Amino acid sequence: MASADTSKRFDAIVIGGGHNGLVCAAYLAKAGQKVLVVEARGEVGGTASSETYSGITVNICNCDHLTFRTTGVMDDLNLARHGLKYLDVDPTQMATSWHDRRIWPHFRDVNRTLEVVERFFKQDVDGYRAYLRDALPIAEMIIDAASQPPTRRSLVGKVIKRRGKGVTTMLRWSKLSAAQVLQKYFKSESLIGPALVTGPTVWGVSPHTPGTGLGALTYALRHSSKVGRPVGGSGMVPLSLRRSIESNDGVVMTSTRVSQILCEGPRVRGVALANGTEIFADCVVSACNPHDTFLKWLKNPPSSAKQVIDRWRATPHYEGYESKIDARVTKLPRYRDLDSKLFDDLGVDPLTATLVVAPTTQDLHRGFEMISRGEILDQPAMLVNLPSVLDASMTNATDHVFSLEALFTPYSFKGGWTSNAEPSRWLERFSHLVEPGFIDSIADWRCVTPAHYESDFFLPKGHATSFAGGPLAALLNSQPELTRYRTPIKGLFLTGAATFPGAGVWGASGKNAALTILNE
């Protein structure tokens, strides 16, 4: 065993330089651990990164960060010193639907939002108030619970602290579908649809799926947290985290692939790289897909790992369902069905926030069913924004950045992803929501499909396994390695989107994994 070579020995090795892996590594490095991050791509960040395309800065995924600033990570790691600065986005989002083209804003301030609801959906004002009475305590509890590793003791403590407020509702919602929850409070599909798009649709499931009720929290979360965008693009989060790691003498290796997680007896002893190099550590953290971790990389796993390996062998890996168009446009679009006077009176630029374009509940369910047939809705759910309107650093002096994320666009699309015919159709559909000339304003564009997420970001079938569910699921989950961050192999830990609290640029999973490791 070549442990005498200190250049190949670390206290901790983190596999995967996505933002959660980087958060975990940064906490460990700050605590004095000798840390190595191994990342397969040429730069860190994974799907939270940004890159240059056609002379502009584009985000790999949507640029709105809702929960990252609720975790304490920015202050704990002093990321502002490493270049991370946020711009607040308010309205938190804009919304419209294919069947009702009116565009309405949602604000962080409850009263401003109620004024909008009264103007656009008068019959739902009382329902929105009732929704907030029930939803806000749950949203606040989930944000609070995500800030530390979930245990029965910690969660019971939070319930006592809040005098049980929201617990009964959370239990009830957890058993329902998101559609059932929202339809209890709202009558208008134009109010329900956008909440379903930013809830269960971005999870890749039908709005009628039982157990997705907490996906109905999307509006409440936007009242409880600030929506923000990092100056310079989403990729400033992983970049600032890398700088934090390196400032504490951590090492980040990019363009380097792990081929094995080495085990000896009951514990890990390090990793083997694709080039055959072995690097040793008593702690290995996988910030990657658990299927790869347990089924592809483990070498000589102990007998204690058999149950978890068998469980992951029986756990299906789903297909990716998101695609994203990035474009350089020479002229800003103008929405057709926009009440300009209303937005002037509100003091709002409608192009600063993301526009949610929603199908009906029925069509969202149909779109989910079409995934298995490799088909896509004629009018799919979309998230559209122009991040350079708020952040001029992302573009040149004359052009703007346009982003369109289309959902329920399956990896096994029967038309194939070798051409841009289908993404071109989404641009054409979107062009009906804006004044003529939009298509002509597109100077250059590309589409990142589930096939690209597989080939370029090492996501099998373009899908990132994500933990779905709130604090209750964290306690009752049948895969405890996803909520406790520990595995049956001593020294092997998990973090990333597959672990609590799940997907999105949140960082709580990386922080919780690091705290779990340091506590041991």
Side-chain angles (χ1 to χ4, degrees):
M1 184 170 173
S3 58
D5 184 352
T6 56
S7 67
K8 292 184 179 180
R9 173 159 285 283
F10 292 82
D11 295 318
I13 299 170
V14 178
I15 308 171
H19 80 284
N20 276 304
L22 295 171
V23 168
C24 181
Y27 272 91
L28 296 178
K30 183 185 176 186
Q33 299 271 302
K34 185 180 179 184
V35 177
L36 170 67
V37 178
V38 183
E39 166 56 38
R41 299 186 73 240
E43 188 48 84
V44 296
T47 55
S49 60
S50 304
E51 62 186 25
T52 300
Y53 167 74
S54 190
I56 56 177
T57 299
V58 298
N59 298 308
I60 301 303
C61 285
N62 203 308
C63 58
D64 291 345
H65 296 180
L66 180 59
T67 47
F68 185 76
R69 291 184 290 174
T70 68
T71 61
V73 168
M74 275 194 70
D75 292 335
D76 291 347
L77 301 176
N78 199 5
L79 296 185
R81 182 167 66 89
H82 297 294
L84 182 59
K85 180 181 178 183
Y86 269 91
L87 298 168
D88 290 335
V89 181
D90 202 23
T92 64
Q93 70 179 31
M94 309 289 291
T96 190
S97 57
W98 291 114
H99 64 281
D100 177 357
R101 301 295 179 87
R102 294 178 303 163
I103 295 174
W104 60 278
H106 183 278
F107 293 95
R108 184 166 187 246
D109 181 79
V110 169
N111 290 328
R112 292 193 81 188
T113 301
L114 283 169
E115 290 173 6
V116 171
V117 172
E118 185 165 14
R119 183 182 182 100
F120 284 83
F121 317 109
K122 193 164 187 175
Q123 74 277 21
D124 284 321
V125 174
D126 290 339
Y128 198 88
R129 288 195 178 97
Y131 163 82
L132 290 182
R133 281 195 298 272
D134 290 343
L136 283 176
I138 307 175
E140 291 163 1
M141 186 182 303
I142 287 175
I143 290 170
D144 191 23
S147 64
Q148 66 184 98
T151 65
R152 188 174 301 276
R153 182 176 180 179
S154 69
L155 293 178
V156 169
K158 294 182 188 304
V159 170
I160 293 172
K161 175 184 172 183
R162 296 176 179 277
R163 299 180 181 178
K165 193 173 183 182
V167 175
T168 302
T169 306
M170 182 167 64
L171 283 167
R172 187 171 67 252
W173 283 22
S174 296
K175 299 174 184 178
L176 302 174
S177 72
Q180 285 176 310
V181 172
L182 291 167
Q183 288 167 353
K184 172 187 173 183
Y185 298 97
F186 308 136
K187 298 180 179 65
S188 174
E189 274 288 338
S190 298
L191 189 57
I192 294 170
L196 293 175
V197 169
T198 53
T201 304
V202 298
W203 301 347
V205 297
S206 165
H208 294 308
T209 305
T212 59
L214 295 182
L217 288 172
T218 177
Y219 289 141
L221 286 168
R222 282 168 169 73
H223 290 303
S224 302
S225 309
K226 290 181 179 179
V227 176
R229 296 176 186 168
V231 175
S234 182
M236 284 304 299
V237 168
L239 179 58
S240 67
L241 288 165
R242 177 175 186 165
R243 290 170 177 168
S244 174
I245 294 166
E246 293 174 338
S247 74
N248 287 306
D249 299 320
V251 178
V252 179
M253 295 175 62
T254 55
S255 302
T256 305
R257 300 190 68 171
V258 165
S259 62
Q260 293 177 331
I261 296 173
L262 306 174
C263 301
E264 187 174 277
R267 63 172 308 112
V268 294
R269 58 187 286 260
V271 302
L273 306 181
N275 65 7
T277 301
E278 293 186 349
I279 305 176
F280 304 104
D282 291 332
C283 173
V284 174
V285 185
S286 177
C288 301
N289 168 28
H291 287 85
D292 286 344
T293 303
F294 292 115
L295 306 181
K296 184 177 177 182
W297 292 336
L298 282 181
K299 182 180 181 182
N300 300 322
S303 58
S304 61
K306 183 180 186 304
Q307 185 177 6
V308 71
I309 292 171
D310 290 344
R311 192 166 64 237
W312 279 97
R313 187 172 287 116
T315 301
H317 191 285
Y318 299 103
E319 291 194 355
Y321 51 85
E322 298 182 49
S323 301
K324 184 171 182 289
I325 291 174
D326 299 307
R328 176 169 59 87
V329 296
T330 58
K331 187 175 69 172
L332 290 173
R334 293 173 57 88
Y335 294 125
R336 286 183 176 180
D337 296 283
L338 185 80
D339 186 336
S340 298
K341 184 178 184 309
L342 169 65
F343 280 84
D344 288 343
D345 292 343
L346 291 170
V348 168
D349 181 345
L351 297 181
T352 58
T354 295
L355 176 70
V356 181
V357 187
T360 63
T361 304
Q362 180 180 353
D363 280 344
L364 284 171
H365 177 68
R366 187 165 60 88
F368 170 75
E369 291 182 321
M370 292 168 69
I371 291 176
S372 63
R373 304 193 297 271
E375 299 173 350
I376 300 171
L377 282 171
D378 180 58
Q379 296 176 320
M382 295 179 179
L383 303 172
V384 180
N385 53 53
L386 292 111
S388 55
V389 172
L390 197 62
D391 182 4
S393 70
M394 297 185 66
T395 188
N396 53 44
T398 58
D399 299 329
H400 276 281
V401 181
F402 173 83
S403 163
L404 186 157
E405 189 170 354
L407 305 175
F408 288 173
T409 58
Y411 172 84
S412 295
F413 170 49
K414 69 179 183 182
W417 294 114
T418 55
S419 81
N420 270 333
E422 177 63 16
S424 294
R425 190 179 69 80
W426 308 335
L427 288 171
E428 189 273 332
R429 287 289 182 269
F430 175 76
S431 71
H432 294 296
L433 301 178
V434 295
E435 297 292 345
F438 168 71
I439 297 294
D440 293 336
S441 75
I442 300 175
D444 201 3
W445 70 281
R446 70 175 190 183
C447 185
V448 181
T449 68
H452 291 104
Y453 287 122
E454 179 179 60
S455 62
D456 299 347
F457 294 89
F458 307 103
L459 298 177
K461 295 186 177 180
H463 182 265
T465 303
S466 299
F467 182 85
L472 291 175
L475 286 182
L476 304 174
N477 181 41
S478 61
Q479 296 172 309
E481 63 276 5
L482 300 185
T483 57
R484 311 291 170 82
Y485 312 101
R486 303 176 183 87
T487 74
I489 303 171
K490 292 181 180 179
L492 178 61
F493 298 84
L494 300 184
T495 188
T499 63
F500 177 81
V505 181
W506 197 327
S509 166
K511 176 183 177 180
N512 291 344
L515 294 178
T516 300
I517 293 164
L518 293 172
N519 283 339
E520 293 194 359

